Amino acid sequence: MFRKLLAASVLSIMAAGAMAAECEVVLEGNDQMKYNLDKIEMSKSCETFTIHLKHVGKMAKNVMGHNVVISKAEDLQAIATDGIMAGVDADYLKADDERVIANTHMIGGGEETSLELKPADFDPANKYKFFCTFPGHVALMQGDLIVTE
Ligand code: ZN
């Protein structure tokens, strides 16, 4: 009896998973100062949304470091500019920068990291960006974080 019940609940979890939106994405950064994605779609139907950052290059963090920072579009440039002053040990982010919604650490070639977002906190009426704050990278390493219902 118990076994049957368990099998039924596993099946219903699998069915729900197949219908649900993708609640995670893998974002790659490389030695050519590029991400592999220029937009990420995040559904508000996800309780949490995870961005996995993989540095697929070989260069070290202090030469070709990458992170992922999430903010409103209008805050991107100021966060990146202030981040340069903060230095590599601070992941090129100003301490306690309130404009930063979420961020990963800075990583070098062969490393990976991730961050988690709460889609419920995002307003689809706003424009959001994901970007890298290593000095000079934001010009090429940025994309739109699109919030969908
Ligand atoms: Zn970078």
Side-chain angles (χ1 to χ4, degrees):
M1 176 63 191
F2 176 73
R3 188 176 288 269
K4 231 179 190 168
L5 214 65
L6 188 69
S9 66
V10 167
L11 271 177
S12 66
I13 289 167
M14 282 169 62
M19 276 157 38
E22 283 287 338
C23 294
E24 59 185 331
V25 66
V26 176
L27 176 66
E28 295 178 358
N30 63 22
D31 284 346
Q32 284 72 48
M33 208 196 292
K34 291 246 177 72
Y35 288 136
N36 66 330
L37 301 175
D38 59 10
K39 68 171 183 192
I40 291 174
E41 286 190 20
M42 175 173 77
S43 168
K44 284 183 82 95
S45 69
C46 296
E47 195 177 326
T48 61
F49 186 87
T50 307
I51 299 177
H52 301 277
L53 175 66
K54 273 189 172 181
H55 193 318
V56 296
K58 291 192 167 65
M59 294 167 78
K61 179 170 87 167
N62 61 336
V63 183
M64 183 55 72
H66 301 314
N67 64 358
V68 180
V69 178
I70 307 295
S71 78
K72 286 184 182 170
E74 64 261 32
D75 293 331
L76 171 149
Q77 199 56 56
I79 292 170
T81 302
D82 289 347
I84 294 171
M85 300 294 291
V88 66
D89 290 337
D91 295 322
Y92 290 112
L93 281 173
K94 190 174 96 173
D96 303 321
D97 192 331
E98 287 176 358
R99 298 163 299 190
V100 171
I101 296 170
N103 69 281
T104 68
H105 291 295
M106 190 71 59
I107 58 173
E111 297 180 317
E112 51 184 280
T113 183
S114 65
L115 62 77
E116 251 185 25
L117 301 173
K118 294 247 177 288
D121 296 342
F122 287 74
D123 181 351
N126 286 331
K127 284 192 166 175
Y128 299 95
K129 287 279 194 180
F130 66 92
F131 55 100
C132 175
T133 57
F134 192 96
H137 287 200
V138 72
L140 289 175
M141 300 189 75
Q142 59 167 283
D144 297 320
L145 176 68
I146 297 159
V147 183
T148 60
E149 286 300 337

